[in-house]
Amino acid sequence: MTRRAGVLGWPVAHSRSPAIHEAAYVAAGLEGWRYQLLPVPPALFDETLRALPGAGFVGANVTIPHKEAALAAAEWATDAAREIGAANSLSFDGARVEADNTDAPGFLAALGEPPTGRAVVLGAGGSARAVAWALCSAGAEVEVWNRTPERAERLAAELGVRAVTTVEPGRLLVNCTAVGLEGEDPFAALPLEPGRMGEWGVVADLVYGEGETALIRDAREAGARVVDGLEVLVRQGALSFERWTGVPAPVEAMRAAAGLK
Ligand code: NAP
């Protein structure tokens, strides 16, 4: 019997998750596994989700705009998913839907070292919530800046971190805004100074596309250690893979399929 997983999103055609997971099945020697795109508009999310277990699905990743709906639809959720308020990884136990958030531990795995000191999160959307929650639970001192300051204040109050209106370089910078997705200049849209990127210890960008983002390129050239958004994508996917298959994720094969060196 074919065992299926996939990614629920709208739109989702651009997703690299099928290539990453299919490469993982091959590298792990898992036969009869398939991972597919599941383009589902919001109005059809609940009924599509309920149909997946009966169609051979063991789980699904969830991306924009369904992460909150995925949590709401689940019969059970991890503390991480409940506290973040969003789920990106669903597992099916019969018809029962279990929700997790692997964006948070996936981000910490991509970071590759325990976060210490002051970390600045740019953004107050879904990924900013997961990253701020992960950094806070790992012991970092978290500051959140957002274009719309009221959203940063709400996030800060809910997660117990600090909202800021100006940004001073520190140990870690994480871009969780959509800036860079369309090739925008990060120094025009974000409170960062081009000449000061070398003052950050580590710069991570959740945005990814073809090649590195302008933020990652500038930070790397200025001497900061950088973490690519594709690394975060691979690591959150690796955690879902392990949950669904019960075998260790072949992370290097997944990285190669994502185009990482
Ligand atoms: P979201 O919930 O829609 O939040 C978008 C955020 O971007 C908000 O804070 C918004 O600020 C800000 N923003 C949008 N346009 C901006 C601009 N021109 N200038 C300044 N701020 C701007 O999105 P999300 O789910 O958090 O995702 C954010 C990005 O991370 C996306 O590019 C997504 O593809 C990426 N992502 C990557 C991974 C990964 O695995 N690598 C995982 C999740 C997300 P306002 O509140 O002011 O509107």
Side-chain angles (χ1 to χ4, degrees), residues 3 20-33 238 241-242 244-254:
R3 273 167 289 188
I20 292 170
H21 284 262
E22 291 280 347
Y25 298 146
V26 172
L30 293 172
E31 288 176 13
W33 283 77
F241 174 96
E242 290 178 349
W244 298 331
T245 65
V247 305
V251 172
E252 286 312 316
M254 298 174 88

Side-chain angles (χ1 to χ4, degrees), residues 33-58:
W33 283 77
R34 291 286 171 271
Y35 189 104
Q36 63 197 73
L37 292 175
L38 296 166
V40 178
L44 296 180
F45 181 79
D46 277 350
E47 67 181 85
T48 305
L49 180 62
R50 296 296 161 199
L52 292 179
F57 281 78
V58 298

Side-chain angles (χ1 to χ4, degrees), residues 64 67 103 123-128 146-148 151 176-179 181 189-190 206-208 229 232-233:
I64 287 176
K67 290 184 185 183
D103 282 334
S127 64
N146 193 50
R147 174 178 65 175
T148 310
R151 291 189 76 197
C176 296
T177 74
V179 173
L181 212 50
L190 301 172
L206 260 65
V207 172
Y208 60 84
V232 182
L233 182 74

Side-chain angles (χ1 to χ4, degrees), residues 20-173:
I20 292 170
H21 284 262
E22 291 280 347
Y25 298 146
V26 172
L30 293 172
E31 288 176 13
W33 283 77
R34 291 286 171 271
Y35 189 104
Q36 63 197 73
L37 292 175
L38 296 166
V40 178
L44 296 180
F45 181 79
D46 277 350
E47 67 181 85
T48 305
L49 180 62
R50 296 296 161 199
L52 292 179
F57 281 78
V58 298
N61 287 125
V62 182
T63 188
I64 287 176
H66 301 311
K67 290 184 185 183
E68 288 169 16
L71 176 65
E75 275 78 34
W76 179 86
T78 58
D79 288 347
R82 271 191 281 105
E83 288 169 25
I84 292 163
N88 73 310
S89 179
L90 300 175
S91 301
F92 307 134
D93 180 3
R96 179 180 142 100
V97 178
E98 299 183 346
D100 194 3
N101 189 307
T102 65
D103 282 334
F107 171 73
L108 292 178
L111 196 56
E113 64 183 27
T116 51
R118 197 164 55 84
V120 179
V121 175
L122 304 177
S127 64
R129 288 186 71 89
V131 167
W133 183 90
L135 289 170
C136 197
S137 56
E141 185 193 325
V142 181
E143 295 182 348
V144 179
W145 173 94
N146 193 50
R147 174 178 65 175
T148 310
E150 297 75 25
R151 291 189 76 197
E153 282 160 23
R154 201 174 331 131
L155 185 160
E158 286 172 14
L159 298 185
V161 300
R162 205 170 138 225
V164 294
T165 52
T166 56
V167 168
E168 272 303 306
R171 176 72 203 136
L172 171 66
L173 174 71

